[in-house]
Amino acid sequence: MASNTVVSSDDDNEDNTMDGIDQQTSSLAGTLEPFLVAAIDFGTTYSGIAHSFKHDFKRDPLKIHCHQKLAKSGKAFPSLKMPTTLLLDPDEGFVAFGYEAEETYSELVDSNAHFGWHYFKHFKMNLHKPKVKLSRDTMLKDDQDQEVLALTVFSESIKYFKEMLHQSFKNAAIKPTDDTITWVLTVPAIWDNNAKQFMREAAVKAGIKDEHLLFALEPEAASIYCKEIQVQRKTADDGDVFLTTYDPGTKYMVADLGGGTADFTVREVMQDGSLQEVVCASGEAWGGMNVNKEFWKFIEQLIGEDKLKKVFSECKAEELDFERSIEQQKRDLKADGDGSEIGIRLALGALNEHVEEESAKKLQNTIRKGKLNVKNGKVKIPLSKIQDFFEPSVKNIKEHFEKLFRKKETLGVHNVILVGGFSESKIIQESVKTILAGKKVTIPQDAGLAVLKGAVLYGHNPAIVSARISRYTYGTEVRRYFLKDFDDPKMRDKKHPEYCREVFNKLIEKDELVHVGRSVETEVYPLTADMTGMTIGMYLSEKKNPKYTTGCTYLGKMNVAMPDTTGGLDRKVIVSLHFGKTELVFEGRDETSKKTVTVKLDTLENDAKRK
């Protein structure tokens, strides 16, 4: 063998157990032909579901039905989405989701009968905690600090939407079945492989078939929707101005400003109408929830954190009014207001009951010391102060726009589209237009539904995305001959000193453009002539050219059986990395037996199982 021949990684035994890896010898599943596509936009603050039939998609891609759920009172709310809130009973059985969960729990609190029940809200971002290892055993704390398995919380939420869809066809002549529906779940661009696999397992637990489930990156789904709508202004020969979809060759940026995250993507429309990623999707937790937190912080400092928590723990209806008031004002306020005040409803009467040492008059004086007025149960806050609440988010978004437009890849990008619930805020809209002076900033009429509708479009035609930028460098861990004056002496294999251990064998480099459907291959050879099985570890790195797997993120491993040893050291395994959807698939093929192992990486397994 040549000096650079790749050999087996750290296992030189015959153990072919997978330690939790989903391993099968079948080929990759083909593209589904759905009768109906249903998408769930699982948001931090609000969630929704939409669907469209295949025949409708062919005639009019934008004929998409968004479902609306009425509250127990029968009242319809302005939005076609609902709060991401879940209520489980003391036995962790499903009770309600959305507005109904809020109202039911509020009634339980008012009756002092809520103890032991499990109420969750804004729980999505628990899957994005960089310093916390996500696993199947991850627990979430509810409103009363009781713990429930995160898988239960997410699967019950997804199951609610699944049943909501089927219920909508209860009286239909033709009812879609689980085998005729393709489901699409939206996920933030900043989520890692662990979070995606977690959502997949939650969906499967909810009753969605694994082979009928797709993921759509939120900014990518929004970009697909924006490609279909008429946002490009043109002038006809007779001078009339009209709107049309983007022409091939057009590059545009989509900023998906949601409740939890702000995600950014840049796409180019190709000649065949597909979309190619220009800059790797990026973003961070800069969504609208940060403004809400600033509101809360201000009121807590004014009244007292303990007092506010006490009253809201016993008066959930008042807390809901307070949160909804913040949400409404956040969307409607304008950055160039006339200096007037806005009113936030606050439970002053309830607060007075919990302030033993102060009278109602003293409490109102406390509020007035903050230079605020109180009228009709509402605390009046100056617009200038409200704008301060937006400042941290606006600053982060501004800096990220500037960073993106400094890249050479974004030269020629003049169109920016704002979508997501946070983009409906007048202050955000006006701030972005100021930041991007000279660019054409468009806010679609249904900006809050762009991700949801785009996810439906993606489900009908996943091939609409023709190429993506790799966020990381991917590779396998191998051994090769030790290279003097190149390798670290500490990496010399003690058992086989002629080899270097824990070498990173690169398959795809960070920021590399990868066309959907592409596969990359590498050859791996056995370490000893009598090896009957090979274990291959997969890793990713933030670096473009990592030398060793030390410091890289372990993704998982696969075992490839090599029962025929007649070839000795000349036997080889072809390791492939397939880029098809938003998740990666590894494949190992023994060239002697021609048997193939396909692996969906189990990134939720315990790190202790890696060796």
Side-chain angles (χ1 to χ4, degrees):
M1 290 185 290
S3 62
N4 63 346
T5 300
V6 178
V7 298
S8 168
S9 74
D10 54 9
D11 286 330
D12 53 2
N13 54 44
E14 300 179 12
D15 182 14
N16 290 317
T17 59
M18 289 306 294
D19 288 332
I21 297 294
D22 177 17
Q23 179 173 244
Q24 54 188 8
T25 56
S26 62
S27 61
L28 293 173
T31 303
L32 297 171
E33 283 292 334
F35 168 68
L36 178 145
V37 170
I40 300 172
D41 182 15
F42 203 103
T44 302
T45 51
Y46 289 91
S47 297
I49 181 172
H51 79 267
S52 76
F53 288 97
K54 181 179 178 180
H55 60 272
D56 286 331
F57 170 77
K58 288 183 175 180
R59 288 197 299 259
D60 179 7
L62 293 179
K63 187 176 180 181
I64 299 171
H65 177 72
C66 297
H67 296 252
Q68 184 177 44
K69 181 69 173 179
L70 300 180
K72 290 193 301 181
S73 62
K75 178 183 177 182
F77 290 86
S79 174
L80 289 172
K81 289 186 178 182
M82 61 195 77
T84 307
T85 51
L86 173 71
L87 179 63
L88 304 177
D89 64 26
D91 295 322
E92 299 183 8
F94 178 84
V95 177
F97 187 91
Y99 290 108
E100 189 174 352
E102 290 183 341
E103 294 176 355
T104 301
Y105 190 61
S106 177
E107 292 170 1
L108 287 168
V109 173
D110 288 345
S111 303
N112 207 31
H114 63 295
F115 297 105
W117 292 66
H118 305 283
Y119 179 67
F120 298 91
K121 65 178 181 179
H122 306 156
F123 50 86
K124 174 183 172 182
M125 290 306 288
N126 283 283
L127 302 192
H128 180 65
K129 291 185 175 180
K131 296 183 180 180
V132 178
K133 169 67 176 176
L134 182 64
S135 74
R136 297 179 182 88
D137 299 323
T138 296
M139 307 293 286
L140 295 184
K141 288 187 177 182
D142 63 15
D143 186 65
Q144 300 174 47
D145 285 334
Q146 303 167 119
E147 290 191 332
V148 176
L149 271 175
L151 264 177
T152 299
V153 174
F154 281 87
S155 65
E156 289 294 339
S157 301
I158 295 171
K159 186 178 179 181
Y160 165 79
F161 285 109
K162 178 177 180 287
E163 293 181 349
M164 182 179 177
L165 177 75
H166 283 293
Q167 187 66 25
S168 70
F169 293 106
K170 183 178 180 180
N171 300 317
I174 300 177
K175 299 179 177 64
T177 65
D178 289 339
D179 290 326
T180 60
I181 301 173
T182 290
W183 288 91
V184 184
L185 274 179
T186 65
V187 293
I190 62 174
W191 272 15
D192 59 17
N193 294 296
N194 296 45
K196 292 177 188 176
Q197 182 180 337
F198 185 93
M199 287 297 286
R200 178 171 289 279
E201 294 193 10
V204 170
K205 186 177 180 181
I208 294 175
K209 294 186 176 182
D210 187 42
E211 63 271 22
H212 288 257
L213 177 62
L214 299 174
F215 283 132
L217 302 179
E218 290 171 358
E220 185 170 88
S223 72
I224 294 169
Y225 175 72
C226 292
K227 173 188 172 294
E228 293 295 331
I229 61 177
Q230 297 178 336
V231 292
Q232 184 173 236
R233 185 181 296 272
K234 287 187 174 182
T235 304
D237 293 339
D238 60 4
D240 288 343
V241 176
F242 64 98
L243 293 176
T244 184
T245 55
Y246 285 134
D247 294 328
T250 302
K251 294 181 181 180
Y252 61 99
M253 181 181 293
V254 174
D256 175 23
L257 311 180
T261 60
D263 291 328
F264 303 78
T265 186
V266 181
R267 303 280 159 158
E268 180 177 358
V269 182
M270 309 308 290
Q271 289 298 321
D272 62 358
S274 66
L275 293 176
Q276 179 172 294
E277 193 169 32
V278 176
V279 177
C280 187
S282 59
E284 202 38 83
W286 302 323
M289 282 299 299
N290 293 290
V291 178
N292 295 44
K293 289 176 183 177
E294 293 297 322
F295 266 102
W296 276 93
K297 193 185 300 181
F298 175 74
I299 298 298
E300 285 174 351
Q301 292 172 348
L302 193 66
I303 295 173
E305 183 178 354
D306 293 339
K307 297 173 187 175
L308 200 61
K309 283 184 177 179
K310 183 171 178 58
V311 66
F312 282 161
S313 68
E314 299 182 14
C315 305
K316 281 295 170 184
E318 301 290 357
E319 182 181 23
L320 288 177
D321 283 345
F322 179 57
E323 290 179 337
R324 290 173 183 175
S325 181
I326 289 176
E327 196 64 34
Q328 191 62 47
Q329 294 288 4
K330 185 175 70 176
R331 291 170 183 252
D332 294 343
L333 283 171
K334 291 185 178 181
D336 57 353
D338 58 4
S340 60
E341 301 170 321
I342 62 127
I344 297 293
R345 186 172 297 281
L346 194 60
L348 296 177
L351 277 167
N352 284 326
E353 295 177 10
H354 294 85
V355 185
E356 299 174 358
E357 72 277 10
E358 292 181 9
S359 63
K361 183 177 180 180
K362 286 183 179 180
L363 180 57
Q364 294 206 1
N365 285 337
T366 299
I367 294 175
R368 289 194 176 99
K369 285 178 183 178
K371 298 181 180 179
L372 308 173
N373 295 318
V374 179
K375 187 176 181 181
N376 298 326
K378 290 186 177 182
V379 176
K380 299 290 185 176
I381 306 176
L383 181 59
S384 59
K385 186 66 182 175
I386 300 294
Q387 290 173 324
D388 291 342
F389 300 160
F390 282 81
E391 184 56 32
S393 293
V394 170
K395 180 176 180 291
N396 286 323
I397 291 170
K398 176 179 182 292
E399 290 176 351
H400 199 68
F401 271 128
E402 292 172 345
K403 178 181 177 181
L404 288 173
F405 280 109
R406 282 196 298 268
K407 294 178 178 288
K408 65 179 186 298
E409 293 88 352
T410 57
L411 289 174
V413 176
H414 303 293
N415 298 284
V416 179
I417 304 175
L418 301 186
V419 300
F422 195 27
S423 71
E424 295 177 344
S425 163
K426 302 295 190 300
I427 288 181
I428 289 296
Q429 292 177 6
E430 292 160 18
S431 297
V432 170
K433 288 178 180 178
T434 300
I435 294 167
L436 300 180
K439 303 289 184 184
K440 181 185 177 184
V441 179
T442 303
I443 303 100
Q445 186 174 3
D446 51 357
L449 297 174
V451 171
L452 179 59
K453 291 185 176 183
V456 174
L457 295 172
Y458 177 73
H460 280 291
N461 181 24
I464 188 66
V465 179
S466 57
R468 297 185 178 94
I469 303 291
S470 180
R471 281 189 76 187
Y472 305 104
T473 298
Y474 293 91
T476 60
E477 181 182 281
V478 300
R479 288 176 183 156
R480 57 160 167 75
Y481 287 116
F482 189 88
L483 303 176
K484 188 179 178 181
D485 299 327
F486 177 78
D487 283 320
D488 185 340
K490 295 179 182 178
M491 303 308 292
R492 187 183 288 276
D493 193 294
K494 293 180 180 179
K495 193 173 182 180
H496 303 279
E498 69 272 28
Y499 291 116
C500 183
R501 60 184 175 85
E502 299 179 20
V503 175
F504 191 101
N505 180 42
K506 183 168 64 175
L507 294 173
I508 287 291
E509 188 174 290
K510 180 180 179 180
D511 294 330
E512 183 176 345
L513 181 67
V514 182
H515 288 272
V516 174
R518 175 187 171 190
S519 295
V520 291
E521 296 183 346
T522 186
E523 296 178 356
V524 184
Y525 291 84
L527 185 67
T528 61
D530 59 349
M531 280 182 63
T532 58
M534 187 182 296
T535 300
I536 302 165
M538 281 74 75
Y539 291 79
L540 67 78
S541 174
E542 295 274 2
K543 299 178 181 178
K544 286 197 171 187
N545 293 292
K547 198 171 180 179
Y548 307 107
T549 58
T550 306
C552 298
T553 300
Y554 171 68
L555 291 174
K557 61 188 176 186
M558 67 177 165
N559 284 358
V560 181
M562 304 176 70
D564 187 349
T565 62
T566 55
L569 294 176
D570 290 331
R571 294 171 297 149
K572 65 181 176 182
V573 169
I574 303 296
V575 178
S576 306
L577 177 57
H578 298 280
F579 293 85
K581 302 170 185 176
T582 54
E583 298 167 282
L584 301 176
V585 176
F586 281 86
E587 187 176 88
R589 183 175 72 253
D590 175 22
E591 286 295 274
T592 303
S593 66
K594 300 300 181 182
K595 288 186 177 180
T596 298
V597 174
T598 300
V599 176
K600 289 183 179 178
L601 297 178
D602 186 356
T603 58
L604 297 176
E605 72 169 329
N606 192 300
D607 283 342
K609 295 182 179 180
R610 61 182 288 182
K611 298 296 184 183

